[in-house]
Amino acid sequence: HWQEMSRLVRLSLLVTLIWAGYVTAGAFASRGKQMFADAAILFSVAAFGASIMLISQMFHIDGHPPDGVLLWMLGAILAGIVLQSNPALALSMVLAALWAGMHTGETGHVYWPFLIAWAIITAGFVWQRWVPGAHIAGVALSGFIITLGYTLDPGRQHGLVAALGLA
């Protein structure tokens, strides 16, 4: 009965949902249950993403969908770094790839700002010394490099991709 609720109640519900996840994460972290704390942080980050979409729907905001993904990604990066949650950082890398893919799909051109997001998230992985994060960063960068062959010089740069791959 979402439509029957007032906007204020809906906004309050969304904010409460996000903060409830963070409070739960704090409770788990204080008891030494880091995996459960990370799960609660991921819940809050997911609720943040859902809130962006629901608020956009509630207020009839016609925007550029990649901008919503960008905002979601920034929230995930912040949660991952401030709360030292590796899974939240991993989700932020997935969101960065989605964000760049949406831009590339719309324009047909390389979306270079992805490399800035990639570098920030990778720095978070390095700062937290999370080796699987380095693998996730490598996969994301590999995906970006592969798209170069299809987007640079109207799809005729596969040699460049092969050279970068060999390097």
Side-chain angles (χ1 to χ4, degrees):
H1 300 276
W2 180 256
Q3 294 297 333
E4 295 172 10
M5 291 185 221
S6 71
R7 286 183 177 174
L8 182 60
V9 170
R10 287 186 263 176
L11 287 173
S12 299
L13 178 65
L14 294 173
V15 170
T16 301
L17 194 62
I18 293 167
W19 282 105
Y22 287 128
V23 168
T24 302
F28 280 128
S30 70
R31 291 185 177 105
K33 310 262 188 219
Q34 191 57 43
M35 289 178 64
F36 288 112
D38 283 333
I41 292 168
L42 274 178
F43 171 82
S44 290
V45 171
F48 178 66
S51 296
I52 292 168
M53 295 171 220
L54 289 170
I55 290 170
S56 176
Q57 176 196 25
M58 272 192 304
F59 293 101
H60 306 290
I61 299 172
D62 291 329
H64 191 227
D67 292 344
V69 175
L70 171 63
L71 183 60
W72 189 8
M73 176 191 67
L74 293 174
I77 291 170
L78 185 64
I81 291 175
V82 170
L83 301 174
Q84 297 183 352
S85 172
N86 294 324
L89 276 177
L91 177 60
S92 69
M93 187 65 83
V94 171
L95 292 170
L98 175 64
W99 172 59
M102 289 172 80
H103 274 286
T104 300
E106 284 180 359
T107 64
H109 296 97
V110 176
Y111 194 66
W112 298 106
F114 166 77
L115 294 176
I116 297 168
W118 178 88
I120 292 168
I121 298 165
T122 301
F125 287 142
V126 170
W127 176 65
Q128 293 178 188
R129 296 186 178 113
W130 193 46
V131 175
H135 297 153
I136 293 168
V139 168
L141 186 61
S142 296
F144 177 79
I145 291 171
I146 289 169
T147 63
L148 290 177
Y150 295 98
T151 54
L152 290 177
D153 190 25
R156 292 188 287 270
Q157 290 299 322
H158 300 292
L160 172 67
V161 171
L164 286 171
L166 289 173

